[in-house]
Amino acid sequence: MSIIVNVDVMMAKRKISSQELAEKIGITQANLSILKTGKAKAVRFSTLEAICKALDCQPGDILEYRED
């Protein structure tokens, strides 16, 4: 089972750069990159909430489950 992170997809839809999103949600670009590539081991709800607020989306738009 896999969790797919679609932050980059939502960023493209909202036409927002990594730098701008990182500034809006209060994390470094390096940490945002780790999240975008799916290499993060965990995501704080506060970070997920900030991403959803900044991108005007729902958590389900950001995270997706796919069975292997």
Side-chain angles (χ1 to χ4, degrees):
M1 58 188 139
S2 298
I3 300 294
I4 309 301
V5 180
N6 293 315
V7 172
D8 53 346
V9 173
M10 291 306 298
M11 287 173 57
K13 287 182 179 180
R14 302 296 190 252
K15 298 178 181 165
I16 186 171
S17 69
S18 292
Q19 180 179 354
E20 188 178 352
L21 181 60
E23 288 173 6
K24 282 186 176 189
I25 64 177
I27 65 172
T28 65
Q29 281 186 272
N31 284 340
L32 180 58
S33 177
I34 289 168
L35 180 61
K36 285 172 42 179
T37 58
K39 294 181 181 178
K41 300 289 182 197
V43 179
R44 292 180 184 213
F45 281 135
S46 59
T47 302
L48 183 58
E49 180 181 4
I51 291 169
C52 290
K53 184 176 181 180
L55 296 177
D56 188 30
C57 64
Q58 295 294 313
D61 297 326
I62 302 291
L63 300 174
E64 176 184 350
Y65 169 76
R66 288 191 194 154
E67 198 168 335
D68 289 336

